[in-house]
Amino acid sequence: MEAVCRRATREDVNTLYVLIEGYAKKGIMLPRSKEALIRQIDTFVVAEVKQEIVGCGSLCRLGSELVEIRSLGISDGYKGLGIGSKLVDRLIEEAKSQRIPKVMALTYEARFFQKNGFEIVDKEIFPEKVWTDCVNCPKQECCDEIAVLKILN
């Protein structure tokens, strides 16, 4: 089963919304409105299998030297097939093309990111993230996500 990663387009917004909302309802991803997805569509990549979107992820710039991988998700039935790693590789390539040396994520799946070359770090080293998103998060005072970081060469 070969997955192909590509940049997301406006035509993908409804599918992205449904995929992200499924994770958000479980409390493991922040929800994204369709309007926000439209505004941020150029930051998303999707993974397709037989022209069906089965995964997504985005890259959010948090400063001149830091980007965050966010909204990384895979449809049920397609997990464990390497599709998430393909998406991460594609997002890292995008960070490299923008000459951004550090890529971070907040996750409940630290082992997945460690397998992809990230290290677990203290989330307090990311004030850019705290002031951009965490101030609006319902879990701000009791965040249980794990911060991971990859420094690019």
Side-chain angles (χ1 to χ4, degrees), residues 64-116:
S64 62
E65 298 201 352
L66 181 65
V67 290
E68 177 190 13
I69 292 177
R70 57 162 62 170
S71 300
L72 183 67
I74 307 297
S75 297
D76 290 338
Y78 292 92
K79 296 175 183 171
L81 302 175
I83 296 169
S85 293
K86 276 190 169 188
L87 285 165
V88 168
D89 288 346
R90 177 68 185 259
L91 293 166
I92 287 172
E93 288 306 314
E94 182 61 31
K96 286 179 180 177
S97 76
Q98 294 178 30
R99 294 189 169 90
I100 300 171
K102 296 187 276 186
V103 180
M104 63 86 61
L106 290 178
T107 184
Y108 293 106
E109 301 292 339
R111 285 188 22 225
F112 164 80
F113 280 96
Q114 287 176 302
K115 285 193 283 184
N116 285 282

Side-chain angles (χ1 to χ4, degrees), residues 4-12 16 40-48 53 55-59 87 90-91 93-95 97-98:
V4 176
C5 294
R6 64 166 174 81
R7 285 189 173 277
T9 66
R10 285 181 68 108
E11 290 75 31
D12 301 325
L16 290 171
Q40 300 163 354
I41 198 67
D42 61 332
T43 68
F44 274 85
V45 294
V46 296
E48 289 182 321
I53 294 174
C56 67
S58 70
L59 208 58
L87 285 165
R90 177 68 185 259
L91 293 166
E93 288 306 314
E94 182 61 31
S97 76
Q98 294 178 30

Side-chain angles (χ1 to χ4, degrees), residues 120-145:
I120 295 174
V121 296
D122 187 347
K123 64 183 132 237
E124 281 70 33
I125 69 169
F126 302 119
E128 307 95 323
K129 171 67 179 169
V130 171
W131 292 111
T132 303
D133 292 315
C134 298
V135 294
N136 299 314
C137 181
K139 293 183 176 183
Q140 179 186 11
E141 298 301 322
C142 57
C143 180
D144 55 353
E145 289 184 298

